[in-house]
Amino acid sequence: MTNFNLDAFVADLESLRSEVEQTLSKVSDVESLETARVAFLGAKNGRLKAIQKGLSKLGREDKPAGGKQFNAIKKTVESLFSQTSVRMESPSKGAKAIEQIDVTLPGSSIRFGSVHPITQTIRRVSSIMSNLGFEVVDGPEVEDQWHNFEALAIPDEHPARDPLDNFYINVANFDRPVLLRSQTSTVQIRVMEHRKPPLRIVSLGRVYRPDTADATHYPMFHQVEGLLIEPGTTMAHLKSVLRSFASSFLGGDVRVRFRPSFFPFTEPSVEVDMEWNGRWIEMGGAGMVDPAVLASVGYDPNEVCGFAFGLGVERIAARRFGVADIRDFYRNDIRFLEQFHDRGQA
Ligand code: DAH
């Protein structure tokens, strides 16, 4: 019989606890919380007090277990009440905090980020070149050796393919290593392989070379690549496109100078200089697309001709923004970057 008594006693405690939970979930103000506290925890007629009286009716051997249960539930119920009372108080604390806000103080300003100067330059160059009728296209940064070298008439023994000058990557199940592209000229090939002339494209993106970083070198940098394939194209067209570009980008009437040079994928080839503040600045390379390159993409070099050019984005950005050390572009120093707010955005 005593067993039944203990079970009944514990069941009473449990049902009290769930009643408290239910009641407290509905309590919405301090008065009803107080009423509930008296009903359940009141020292005279509280429900818990009534159950406690049952403790003395338990058999001797059940008393320790019953007492333990009673104390546990009592603790739980008390903490349910104190949680509820905290919940009730918080909104009023919040209201007090609002009263203390001084509406006459000036607001704190919102910090706006700005577009990175290299991104600004890329957008501006793209927009100028689109106005000149060039379509902006993209190419992969991980390339195969065909697109980075062979199709551009750069043979196996050429020093540009040296492992010390390129980031080669061995890939399982690939016959030959791939590489992080060392130039954006790869995009010329990718476009010509899939399209027929006439073409006017420009591509801006990252290239990679294992150079030690200094004021004018960085192992990752950006290039602008241009390609125009149209009947009757000459070096004069090339020069006038570069001059229009330079004048729009740098402002004013910028002179452009060609110096004879050599690139495997152009014939003839030139270095392109632009005049800036009375000085000639080297901007990149250019030339008429080599017949061997046209043949490698399946064009007939007797019918098709065009020009190509490749310029360094960091170089032209450094000119425009007056930056002496290109490493500053990649230090992520806010004090440097915030100087280029909104300048040169297309
Ligand atoms: N790809 C060359 C380089 O990275 C730059 C270049 C030169 C691109 C002449 C061209 C070009 O399209 O015609 O040094």
Side-chain angles (χ1 to χ4, degrees), residues 183 185 188 209 223 225 263 265-266 285-287 308-310:
Q183 51 183 353
S185 304
Q188 293 183 29
R209 294 178 196 174
Q223 288 186 330
E225 191 80 18
F263 296 102
F265 35 89
T266 44
F309 61 87

Side-chain angles (χ1 to χ4, degrees), residues 278-296:
R279 281 177 55 207
W280 289 100
I281 310 291
E282 191 183 316
M283 292 297 189
M288 300 302 291
V289 180
D290 195 292
V293 173
L294 298 172
S296 76

Side-chain angles (χ1 to χ4, degrees), residues 24-152:
L24 291 184
S25 71
K26 289 187 210 121
V27 153
S28 59
D29 52 53
V30 185
E31 287 79 47
S32 49
L33 177 64
E34 195 45 39
T35 313
R37 187 193 307 280
V38 172
F40 288 105
L41 295 174
K44 264 194 194 160
N45 298 317
R47 294 271 307 280
L48 201 63
K49 197 80 200 166
I51 292 177
Q52 195 182 7
K53 282 177 189 151
L55 198 55
S56 59
K57 290 183 198 138
L58 289 178
R60 234 162 46 116
E61 66 277 29
D62 286 335
K63 268 190 182 136
K68 226 177 176 177
Q69 288 286 339
F70 176 84
N71 285 332
I73 296 286
K74 187 175 176 214
K75 244 194 182 143
T76 310
V77 168
E78 281 169 352
S79 94
L80 284 170
F81 269 96
S82 64
Q83 279 166 27
T84 311
S85 108
V86 168
R87 176 161 60 83
M88 305 254 116
E89 272 176 28
S90 314
S92 65
K93 273 191 188 147
K96 265 184 207 142
I98 288 167
E99 280 162 27
Q100 285 165 6
I101 289 174
D102 181 353
V103 293
T104 63
L105 284 174
S108 49
S109 60
I110 298 166
R111 280 189 73 171
F112 285 102
S114 65
V115 179
H116 192 280
I118 294 294
T119 307
Q120 289 182 32
T121 308
I122 288 174
R123 290 186 184 170
R124 192 121 193 287
V125 172
S126 304
S127 137
I128 294 170
M129 293 309 294
S130 325
N131 290 342
L132 292 171
F134 287 75
E135 179 193 345
V136 180
V137 296
D138 215 356
E141 287 176 28
V142 178
E143 262 299 1
D144 52 49
Q145 297 191 38
W146 166 257
H147 291 95
N148 202 91
F149 299 123
E150 281 136 31
L152 289 160

